[in-house]
Each structure stands twice: as structure tokens, then as C-alpha cells.
Amino acid sequence: MDIDTAVPRARAFRAFAPEMFIATAAFGILLIVSLVWTRPAGVGPVLFAQLLLGVTVVIVACRLAGRAAVWLGQPRVIGEIAAGIAIGPSLLGQLWPGAVDALFPDQVRSPMNWVAHLGMVLFLFLAGMEIDPKLLRRSGRFTTSVSQVGFLFPLLLGMLFAVLAYPYLAPPGVQLLPFALLVGAAMSVTALPVLVVILRGSPLRGTALAAIAVTAATIADVQAWILLALVAGLVGGFAGGVLPVVGLTVALMAGLMLVRPWLRALLTSQAIPLLIRVVILTGCAVAFAELAALAGMHAAIGAFVFGLLVPRVGGVAEGSIRLLGPAAAVLLMPLFFAGSGMATDLTKLGAAGALWGWFAVALALALVGKYGGVAFASRAAGASWPNSARLGALLNCRGMTELVVLGIGRDLGLLAPELFTILVLTAFVCTAMTWPALAAVDRFSLSDPVASPR
């Protein structure tokens, strides 16, 4: 081997190995503590070792694929989603029949799903805290019009797709309205965390266009989560689901507003170390999420609402994002991607069948709704075509946010495996298109001033 190539590779391995070892060891400790506390009956040492093996495989696969995606110029989440799909029945199950069940038997998947659920709750709790309430209050007419079209147009096209697919792809016994609203909500979201990462590495960083994109995505995502809470209530029927959910949700919000002064005093207390305040705040978020689940919402939605309403004082919100963000991304979210990947079976679409046609329709409607809707709304509001195309590309990024929405829909029993696979693949393609679409706009357009909100 040429020494000029061997030395950089060795350095890259030495730089990567400690990170992988620390991530795996830390997750092992976290998993041991959590499983000792909630250990299912019948989980012996052999099965526990198999559980740690499966977790290690998931983390290593996601970290390697994430680094490969970054090397290819894509967001890390693209590689992690691809790794989750690869270790499921779509690839590993085809190359090595029985390997998926051997690595992840049912007894192992249950505690893994529990930790993945925790990762989803923490992700949305942090996502809620990352939203600046000032953006929601101070958005100008330009940003408001872009965000509303970017939410409503894909929502309506998603519902149209759901109506068309309902006789063929909906699970038996599922009502049309919650089914359609869920698919519409999934197609209307933008992956705000992925969008922020893309903008950090883009020439658009710090521009007015970046601020417009983040604000519009924030407004649209908040509306989507509110709609998803309604969907959770509709699953039980109007009288049996919506009314109790609305009543209990109002009670939860009132209770949260009542304890907000106490929470503010706790977060600003200098007598308590920052780490302890972060731990207390995280425990409150998990408790609120479980109360939201008891009220009829999904626990992840409750965590998002709690994060959104946390007082931004004492630096605790920023500290929580700084301390918990990497842990959730490295240790917990890979298990969520693995769970989504194991539920995503591309072989169900067939070599050449009608399901691939449904995927083509879903992808076309997703692109027209989000990319096209945002681009035309921006142009109508006064932006140039290049900047309108850039906004459309940025807000078309779906990433892990749509996967979380789809995971909630699967938990609610609204998505059959075939449609779940179609929509996961649609989110993957839309996210992977973001960087190439931005590069194409830069290549084929002259230098263009960035639009400002009106």
C-alpha cells in the first residue's frame, strides 16, 4: 500500500476509533442502567449480551454511514437513515437470510424500541427548545406567506394522495380522516435540525434567506405538530378521542403555565449547578410527555410542547441542547433509525409493481407541494427566481422529522408496512436532494441578492 494513502487512513482510523469506543461504552452504560430499572421478565445474561451486540451493530453502522454521507457532501442523517434501512430486511435480510432475526429477535427489539422511544422524546424536547419564540411573533409578511403556503399546499396534496391510496394502502378499519391528516402532516414538515446543519455549512449562512428558511420551517412544523395531536385524538373517534384529548390537553397547558413561574425560578437559581438543572428539566420533560400520552396525545408531541414552552432563562435551555443533543444524536437516535429501517421493507414494493407507482406519485406530490409551493409563493411575494428556488430546496428537506411523524403514525396504527416504506423512501429522497438542488441553483444562476422579508 502507498504510504501517502496509508498514513491519512491510519490517522483517520485513530481519530475515529476513540469516538466509536466512547459512544458504544456510554450507550452500554446507559442501556444497562435503564434495563436494570425496566428489565423485562425472562431477560437472562445471554439475551442481555445479545441485546448489547445488536445495539453496538446499530451504533457502528449509523456512525460509519453518517461519516460516509458527510464525505459525499450529504447531511449525516442521510447516512444514518440509510444504515437503518440497510440493517433491516431490505438489504441485510436479503444478503443474509435470517440475520435480522438473529441479531434482533423479538425479545431484543422490545427494549431497543423502548430506548428508541426515549430518543424520540428527547429529540422533540430539544427541537422544541431550539425554536425561538421571537421568530413566531416577529415573522414578516414575506415569511408568513411562504410558511403558510409551504404548510398548506403540501398538506392538501398529501391528503389528496391519502384519499387516492386509502382503498389500497390503508390498514383495515382505519378511518379516512385521521389517515389523510397524518399523511398530509408527514408531507408538510421540514426537518428543522437538518436544515440548520445544512445552513451552517452553506454560503447562505447568516443571510436573510437563511433566517427566512428557519423561521418558515419553524412556523410550519409547529402547525404540523398541532395537527398531529388532533390526529391522535381522532383515532379514538370524536366523542371518544378528540373531546377528551382537547380537554386534557387544555388542562395540561393550564397546569404547565401555572408551574412556569416555579420552573423559571428553578432554572435561574445559581445555587443549583447547571448540570443538575438540566437533569431536572429533562425529567420534567419526560414526565410531561408521559402525561400527554395519558391524555391521548403521543408522548413525543407532549415533549415538543414542553420544550417549546420552557422559559429561556439561566442558560438552561442552551445547556440542555449542548449536553443532551450529542448524546441523543449518537446514542439514542440510531436506535430510532434502526427501528424505522426494520419496519421499512423495500422488497414489499416488488421488482416492478403498482407500489413503485404509488411511490412515484408520493414523491411527485411531495416535490410539487413543498418545493414547488414554496418557490412559487416566494416568487409571488417578490423574491427572485434563484432565491425562490433556494427556499424551495431548503424547506423540502424532510430528514428525521418526517420519520418521527411516520413513527408516530405507525404507533397509532394508521400506517401499513407498504405505505410506511413508501413514505420513508420519499423522505429519504427529498432530503438527499437538498444539497444537489442548492448547487444546481448556484450553478445555473448569476449572483443574486438575497430576498428580505417584508
Side-chain angles (χ1 to χ4, degrees), residues 19-423:
E19 179 187 26
M20 183 59 61
F21 175 79
I22 292 171
T24 306
F27 187 87
I29 295 172
L30 173 66
L31 195 61
I32 289 172
V33 172
S34 62
L35 289 178
V36 166
W37 183 38
T38 61
R39 180 173 172 175
V43 177
V46 175
L47 188 57
F48 196 82
Q50 190 175 16
L51 172 63
L52 293 180
L53 174 63
V55 166
T56 303
V57 168
V58 169
I59 292 180
V60 170
C62 286
R63 296 297 290 173
L64 289 174
R67 282 181 168 260
V70 172
W71 183 76
L72 293 172
Q74 290 284 351
R76 181 185 297 273
V77 67
I78 283 291
E80 293 175 338
I81 295 173
I85 295 174
I87 61 178
S90 298
L91 182 60
L92 182 60
Q94 297 300 307
L95 298 177
W96 186 5
V100 176
D101 290 333
L103 277 174
F104 311 107
D106 292 338
Q107 301 94 323
V108 167
R109 292 188 191 186
S110 178
M112 283 181 62
N113 288 338
W114 183 88
V115 181
H117 173 80
L118 176 62
M120 185 194 306
V121 168
L122 285 180
F123 167 74
L124 284 179
F125 165 55
L126 297 175
M129 283 199 299
E130 286 178 335
I131 292 176
D132 186 357
K134 296 178 182 177
L135 294 179
L136 302 179
R137 294 192 294 264
R138 299 179 182 175
S139 57
R141 286 182 299 171
F142 180 92
T143 306
T144 301
S145 62
V146 169
S147 66
Q148 293 311 304
V149 174
F151 171 71
L152 292 173
F153 194 41
L155 171 68
L156 294 176
L157 290 184
M159 293 180 68
L160 173 62
F161 173 77
V163 170
L164 296 174
Y166 179 74
Y168 310 100
L169 298 177
V174 168
Q175 297 179 351
L176 176 59
L177 182 57
F179 176 76
L181 288 175
L182 173 75
V183 175
M187 287 197 175
S188 65
V189 296
T190 296
L192 188 59
V194 180
L195 175 63
V196 171
V197 171
I198 290 175
L199 288 172
R200 283 174 184 165
S202 167
L204 298 173
R205 180 178 183 176
T207 63
L209 190 72
I212 293 168
V214 171
T215 306
T218 298
I219 296 172
D221 281 3
V222 169
Q223 292 172 312
W225 290 116
I226 293 173
L227 180 61
L228 202 58
L230 175 63
V231 170
L234 285 171
V235 170
F238 186 81
V242 174
L243 294 181
V245 167
V246 170
L248 291 172
T249 300
V250 170
L252 277 176
M253 295 302 165
L256 182 58
M257 297 308 292
L258 288 175
V259 302
R260 227 168 163 260
W262 171 84
L263 193 59
R264 179 183 294 271
L266 173 68
L267 298 182
T268 54
S269 174
Q270 298 301 316
I272 305 175
L274 177 62
L275 180 60
I276 301 301
R277 284 180 280 165
V278 169
V279 171
I280 294 174
L281 183 64
T282 306
C284 292
V286 174
F288 188 84
E290 294 306 318
L291 287 174
L294 293 175
M297 291 191 296
H298 195 280
I301 301 174
F304 176 82
V305 172
F306 184 86
L308 189 64
L309 297 179
V310 164
R312 299 331 193 248
V313 292
V316 181
E318 295 79 3
S320 299
I321 295 169
R322 187 175 63 253
L323 294 173
L324 297 178
V330 175
L331 307 176
L332 298 176
M333 290 310 292
L335 289 184
F336 173 75
F337 294 132
S340 298
M342 280 183 247
T344 302
D345 189 355
L346 298 180
T347 62
K348 289 183 178 294
L349 301 185
L355 291 178
W356 282 108
W358 284 112
F359 164 68
V361 173
L363 180 60
L365 291 177
L367 292 175
V368 171
K370 203 71 170 179
Y371 195 122
V374 169
F376 279 100
S378 302
R379 179 57 179 161
S384 64
W385 272 119
N387 280 325
S388 299
R390 291 184 183 105
L391 271 177
L394 289 170
L395 293 181
N396 188 52
C397 175
R398 316 298 176 100
M400 64 182 75
T401 304
E402 183 167 348
L403 260 65
V404 171
V405 174
L406 297 176
I408 292 174
R410 188 184 59 188
D411 292 345
L412 295 174
L414 294 175
L415 293 178
E418 294 81 6
L419 183 57
F420 182 84
T421 298
I422 289 171
L423 295 179

